[in-house]
Amino acid sequence: MGKLNLASVIDNSADKSPDHIFVRDGDKDTDYGTINRKINQFANLLVKSGVMAGDKIGIFLPNIDLVPITIFGSIKSGAVAVPINILTPSKTLTEALAETGCKAIVTIGELYEKVIEGANGVPECQTILLAQPITTEVGAQTVILEKTMDDMADDFAAWPTSADDPAIILFTSGTTGRQKGVVISHWYGYFLAQALARDMFRLGSWDTIMM
């Protein structure tokens, strides 16, 4: 297969319709142009933090607008996004971080202690990227997103990943045993999004999907 970076779909939409609403979080709307700039800033932050192509980035967030920013920012940088359900117990979080070898994990203040506990004993997980902190007392390995992302450039050329390179690792629920990570390639993620949007649900550019 040739080169394909799944995050390029956001680039394309931002170029065509920068003012079109991408995500609605409560009463806050964010358009494609703005979300793409934030994705680029997050990708630049990862690279500046030493993240390299193929590294795994844990995403431990509730359904807020930071989810697509961190997932697509990770993918755009060449890293692999690893979303993990916030209801996951600390022990299971540790297993997921260790199994994937996550180099960093993104979370918010109210989940910080759980992430600290889950990341403890996982030497690969060197950095916690923290948004919405609820305390000023954070560990040396913690980076406050609000203080760092705004200083990052808002343009970023997507890393030239191969279409069959991993883009996302999704974990099963683990209801019938230990949870398992399922690898989604850039090509399969693109194909699946197209199939669901165009063929199954027949979505148009003005339709809305609830997360």
Side-chain angles (χ1 to χ4, degrees), residues 51-184:
V51 171
M52 302 179 68
D55 285 342
K56 315 301 190 299
I57 307 298
I59 314 291
F60 199 67
L61 294 168
N63 282 343
I64 57 176
D65 59 359
L66 195 58
V67 172
I69 292 169
T70 53
I71 288 179
F72 283 106
S74 299
I75 293 171
K76 198 168 196 176
S77 75
V80 182
V82 186
I84 303 171
N85 192 313
I86 62 171
L87 298 180
T88 298
S90 296
K91 180 177 180 294
T92 310
L93 174 59
T94 301
E95 293 171 352
L97 294 175
E99 180 180 328
T100 56
C102 280
K103 189 168 184 177
I105 183 169
V106 187
T107 194
I108 58 173
E110 63 187 78
L111 299 172
Y112 183 59
E113 292 301 324
K114 188 174 185 179
V115 167
I116 289 287
E117 183 179 351
N120 186 34
V122 183
E124 298 89 349
C125 196
Q126 302 167 3
T127 305
I128 297 173
L129 300 167
L130 180 64
Q132 303 171 15
I134 56 177
T135 175
T136 56
E137 298 180 4
V138 296
Q141 80 278 31
T142 300
V143 175
I144 306 298
L145 284 181
E146 286 84 352
K147 292 181 179 179
T148 52
M149 271 185 58
D150 286 345
D151 294 330
M152 298 293 112
D154 62 6
D155 59 328
F156 188 92
W159 184 263
T161 46
S162 295
D164 55 357
D165 282 344
I168 306 174
I169 298 177
L170 298 176
F171 276 91
T172 60
S173 63
T175 52
T176 58
R178 182 170 174 169
Q179 62 177 3
K180 299 176 180 64
V182 179
V183 178
I184 308 295

